[in-house]
């Protein structure tokens, strides 16, 4: 009798534990990629050169092994296989980006490429035929070179150029695409380009360039959002936002909390406050720091360009959800005199040095340390600062070198997804979906083909760019099938 009760009891406990690992009904799983990283076909048909084409060809030493994305995964030709993989995994949605200069070879809306249109129509229709929702990013770092020649993201006219491009995209694809990201990770391409010079087009201008880019990016995003609102929303009922790269900052010691908050405001607030906060505009602490620094350096005014009241209103509230790209975390402390401070070691702009805990395992990428709790803390912080809203994790993943027995990647996904579940179940966070970065191994920017984030392995030595599922693909497939982390 006693033992029967015990068996029943343990059964119940197990059932509850299992349920705890279930995702809420309606929670969506996807995987992501980006045009330059997978498409190849860099000069196919009438596609024009973009800043990454130019960067890898002219400054190959910025890329490991002098690699480039000329062919990459050749998704320009192999898109059918990509869709097949998305279907094999059972994805609810697939996130990919449109190459601006493939659709608009001049960068402007005067000429729309037939082949460009066909390519993206094929991908969108192919996904929908398999019941997979397309999630489309308009800009994932590949600016047409023609627009770069006119100043790129530092020219305020880019707000209109991006608006015109967005209108073309919406008018051709918004009948079938319901979920959009206007711009992917402005932090990576504004700061990555101008503060560090390591991203295309490799222009180093940290004091002025970065902040010009910041302002124009926020206005360009808002422009696309307003165009959608006015001309397309009623008809198509889609959802838009921009995607931010969020590295979570914790204080090194409790005394460093204020510093950690400044780091968050500088790295996250700078790209979020204008859009998601009630007041709009720049985060006050960032405004103050840059104004003071500009003064000390002898500038006539702050190098962080001010917003007019109209601009603040124009940008404020231009979101339907928050897109979270998150991989890793840092501990922050004040940099000591003479300490080397560059992008890998801290934030020179605000005198911050990074630390990591010794038990945060490093992935293949030099910047990726595993700290799953960081994801939950990050989203909690966003809710606290900007209010309750819908969150979608639009990127999260782990890099390794070649190989398909990727148990570390499975572990990473499990641990980070567990934090999402805790966020939903214990904190009541409204997290509606999760996107694994990435569907297949691809061109990982400065790391070339060395850091591999894929669920599928790609053989870059074969002309067919053969794709084979890794162990993590099997894991992800089961997880999606069961809608639960209870996967053996
Ligand atoms: C993202 N960091 O970039 C990009 O959106 C992807 O294109 C890229 O392949 C992926 O993450 C993996 O790198 C990041 O320094 C760039 O923490 C830098 C960082 C994180 C993500």
């Amino acid at each position: 009798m006693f033992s029967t009760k015990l068996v029943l009891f343990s059964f119940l406990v197990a059932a509850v534990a299992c349920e705890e690992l279930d995702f809420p009904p309606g929670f969506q799983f996807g995987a992501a990629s980006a045009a330059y990283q997978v498409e190849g076909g860099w000069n196919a048909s009438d596609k024009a050169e973009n800043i990454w084409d130019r960067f890898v060809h002219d400054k190959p030493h910025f890329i490991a092994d002098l690699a480039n994305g000329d062919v990459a995964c050749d998704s320009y030709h192999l898109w059918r296989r990509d869709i097949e993989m998305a279907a094999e995994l059972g994805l609810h949605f697939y996130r990919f980006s449109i190459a601006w200069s493939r659709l608009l070879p001049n960068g402007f809306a005067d000429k729309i490429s037939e082949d460009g249109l066909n390519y993206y129509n094929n991908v969108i229709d192919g996904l929908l035929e398999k019941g997979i929702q397309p999630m489309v990013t308009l800009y994932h770092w590949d600016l047409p070179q023609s627009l770069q020649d006119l100043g790129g993201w530092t020219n305020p006219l880019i707000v209109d150029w991006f608006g015109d491009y967005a209108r073309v995209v919406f008018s051709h694809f918004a009948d079938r695409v319901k979920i959009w990201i206007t711009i992917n990770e402005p932090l990576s391409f504004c700061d990555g380009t101008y503060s560090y010079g390591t991203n295309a087009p490799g222009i180093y201008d940290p004091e002025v360039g970065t902040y010009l880019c910041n302002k124009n990016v926020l206005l360009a995003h808002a422009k696309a959002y307003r165009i959608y609102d006015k001309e397309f929303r009623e008809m198509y009922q889609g959802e838009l936002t921009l995607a931010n790269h969020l590295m979570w900052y914790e204080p090194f010691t409790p005394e460093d909390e204020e510093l950690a908050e400044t780091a968050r405001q500088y790295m996250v607030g700078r790209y979020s406050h204008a859009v998601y906060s009630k007041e709009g505009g720049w985060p006050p602490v960032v405004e103050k720091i840059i104004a003071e620094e500009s003064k000390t350096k002898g500038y006539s005014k702050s190098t962080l360009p001010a917003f007019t009241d109209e601009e603040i209103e124009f940008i404020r509230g231009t979101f339907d959800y928050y897109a979270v790209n998150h991989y890793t975390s840092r501990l922050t402390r004040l940099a000591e005199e003479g300490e080397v401070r560059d992008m890998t070691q801290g934030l020179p702009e605000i005198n911050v040095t990074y630390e990591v805990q010794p038990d945060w395992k490093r992935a293949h990428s030099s910047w990726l340390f595993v700290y799953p709790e960081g994801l939950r803390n990050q989203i909690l912080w966003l809710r606290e600062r900007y209010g309750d809203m819908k969150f979608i994790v639009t990127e999260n993943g782990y890099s390794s070198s070649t190989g398909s027995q990727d148990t570390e990647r499975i572990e990473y996904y499990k641990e980070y997804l567990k934090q999402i579940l805790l966020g939903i179940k214990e904190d009541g966070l409204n997290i509606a979906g999760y996107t694994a970065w990435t569907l297949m191994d691809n061109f990982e920017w400065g790391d070339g083909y060395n850091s591999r984030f894929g669920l599928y392995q790609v053989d870059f030595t074969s002309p067919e760019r053969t794709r084979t599922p890794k162990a993590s693909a099997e894991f992800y497939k089961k997880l999606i099938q069961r809608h639960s982390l209870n996967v053996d």
Side-chain angles (χ1 to χ4, degrees):
M1 181 64 189
F2 175 73
S3 66
T4 322
K5 263 190 190 159
L6 191 69
V7 169
L8 195 66
F9 178 71
S10 7
F11 177 75
L12 278 176
V13 169
V16 170
C18 284
E19 216 168 88
E20 269 170 20
L21 295 176
D22 291 349
F23 288 90
F27 188 92
Q28 305 257 303
F29 289 99
S33 70
Y36 187 77
Q37 295 179 273
V38 300
E39 279 182 9
W42 79 279
N43 60 0
S45 180
D46 53 355
K47 175 181 169 292
E49 191 185 23
N50 65 42
I51 54 174
W52 271 91
D53 298 321
R54 175 70 63 93
F55 189 57
V56 298
H57 294 151
D58 278 15
K59 300 176 180 167
H61 54 280
F62 275 101
I63 316 293
D65 303 329
L66 312 179
N68 62 52
D70 288 358
V71 181
C73 306
D74 203 16
S75 287
Y76 183 64
H77 298 106
L78 301 172
W79 55 274
R80 286 184 188 81
R81 173 70 182 127
D82 297 350
I83 294 170
E84 192 178 270
M85 283 144 53
E88 279 166 14
L89 292 170
L91 300 184
H92 302 123
F93 65 93
Y94 176 52
R95 177 183 168 211
F96 64 94
S97 81
I98 292 180
W100 188 337
S101 72
R102 192 182 297 290
L103 193 64
L104 302 181
N106 297 336
F108 297 107
D110 59 320
K111 183 184 168 208
I112 303 175
S113 161
E114 275 300 309
D115 284 346
L117 271 180
N118 284 340
Y119 177 66
Y120 295 111
N121 273 325
N122 283 336
V123 175
I124 292 167
D125 292 341
L127 287 167
L128 288 170
E129 270 165 33
K130 302 269 186 196
I132 303 164
Q133 291 296 318
M135 176 193 241
V136 174
T137 310
L138 270 71
Y139 185 76
H140 202 121
W141 312 0
D142 46 359
L143 191 72
Q145 184 61 41
S146 57
L147 302 185
Q148 184 58 50
D149 293 342
L150 299 175
W153 287 104
T154 62
N155 185 340
L157 291 175
I158 198 161
V159 178
D160 287 334
W161 305 338
F162 185 71
D164 290 346
Y165 163 56
R167 184 181 288 104
V168 171
V169 172
F170 296 148
S171 51
H172 287 91
F173 307 126
D175 56 338
R176 287 154 294 153
V177 176
K178 301 297 170 192
I179 183 135
W180 298 93
I181 290 171
T182 53
I183 296 178
N184 183 68
E185 294 187 358
L187 174 79
S188 301
F189 71 85
C190 287
D191 296 42
T193 297
Y194 298 103
S195 296
Y196 308 111
T198 50
N199 264 25
I203 298 169
Y204 180 72
D205 188 0
E207 286 170 18
V208 178
T210 306
Y211 304 129
L212 282 178
C213 180
N214 287 181
K215 181 178 176 185
N216 295 332
V217 149
L218 290 164
L219 284 165
H221 154 76
K223 184 84 184 182
Y225 187 93
R226 300 288 178 200
I227 287 172
Y228 189 88
D229 247 5
K230 209 162 150 222
E231 302 170 29
F232 302 93
R233 187 178 292 277
E234 210 179 284
M235 208 161 19
Y236 298 134
Q237 306 287 325
E239 293 185 295
L240 287 80
T241 197
L242 76 163
N244 276 317
H245 162 209
L246 311 167
M247 193 186 265
W248 171 244
Y249 295 103
E250 295 211 337
F252 185 56
T253 68
E255 289 85 73
D256 296 317
E257 173 51 32
E258 198 185 322
L259 192 71
E261 182 61 18
T262 305
R264 293 169 203 144
Q265 290 296 347
Y266 188 71
M267 295 296 270
V268 177
R270 189 152 44 100
Y271 295 99
S272 299
H273 199 269
V275 177
Y276 305 95
S277 75
K278 304 270 173 297
E279 324 74 72
W282 299 117
V285 63
V286 173
E287 212 162 30
K288 185 166 161 268
I289 289 172
I290 302 172
E292 280 167 6
E293 231 182 69
S294 307
K295 203 167 161 202
T296 316
K297 286 178 176 151
Y299 289 99
S300 63
K301 58 181 178 202
S302 179
T303 60
L304 183 72
F307 288 118
T308 64
D309 289 348
E310 290 74 34
E311 286 171 338
I312 289 177
E313 280 316 297
F314 188 68
I315 301 172
R316 202 167 63 99
T318 53
F319 67 93
D320 303 306
Y321 65 102
Y322 196 107
V324 174
N325 288 2
H326 174 88
Y327 294 83
T328 191
S329 298
R330 292 292 183 276
L331 304 170
T332 52
R333 66 167 172 79
L334 209 58
E336 282 160 24
E337 195 58 38
E339 211 165 1
V340 193
R341 291 171 280 122
D342 66 18
M343 79 182 295
T344 57
Q345 287 162 315
L347 300 169
E349 303 91 334
I350 55 169
N351 220 21
V352 159
T353 287
Y354 293 152
E355 301 275 352
V356 292
Q357 295 289 9
D359 64 342
W360 293 2
K361 211 176 70 176
R362 213 199 88 180
H364 194 272
S365 312
S366 59
W367 51 269
L368 211 176
F369 295 87
V370 181
Y371 177 54
E373 291 84 350
L375 174 56
R376 180 179 176 191
N377 293 341
Q378 178 68 72
I379 304 178
L380 282 170
W381 183 88
L382 290 168
R383 184 176 68 176
E384 203 177 297
R385 291 293 172 283
Y386 307 125
D388 208 359
M389 59 182 144
K390 177 158 111 178
F391 295 94
I392 299 179
V393 175
T394 38
E395 279 183 35
N396 177 243
Y398 180 87
S399 59
S400 51
S401 63
T402 44
S404 58
Q405 284 314 310
D406 54 344
T407 43
E408 290 178 349
R409 178 168 296 103
I410 296 175
E411 211 37 48
Y412 181 97
Y413 281 138
K414 267 190 187 161
E415 291 301 318
Y416 277 72
L417 279 162
K418 199 181 282 169
Q419 293 300 318
I420 290 181
L421 274 180
L422 288 170
I424 295 172
K425 297 190 177 187
E426 292 193 359
D427 309 320
L429 284 171
N430 178 10
I431 307 174
Y434 177 85
T435 318
W437 182 271
T438 174
L439 180 62
M440 65 195 131
D441 293 341
N442 57 45
F443 178 78
E444 176 54 19
W445 311 112
D447 281 353
Y449 296 96
N450 290 330
S451 288
R452 305 210 169 184
F453 282 86
L455 292 162
Y456 279 71
Q457 177 161 255
V458 177
D459 178 2
F460 292 102
T461 61
S462 83
E464 298 80 27
R465 294 296 190 271
T466 312
R467 292 119 156 88
T468 38
K470 301 183 190 178
S472 58
E474 297 303 331
F475 162 79
Y476 200 45
K477 179 182 174 165
K478 264 196 205 157
L479 179 145
I480 295 173
Q481 240 166 30
R482 299 196 186 160
H483 209 67
S484 171
L485 258 183
N486 186 26
V487 181
D488 29 74

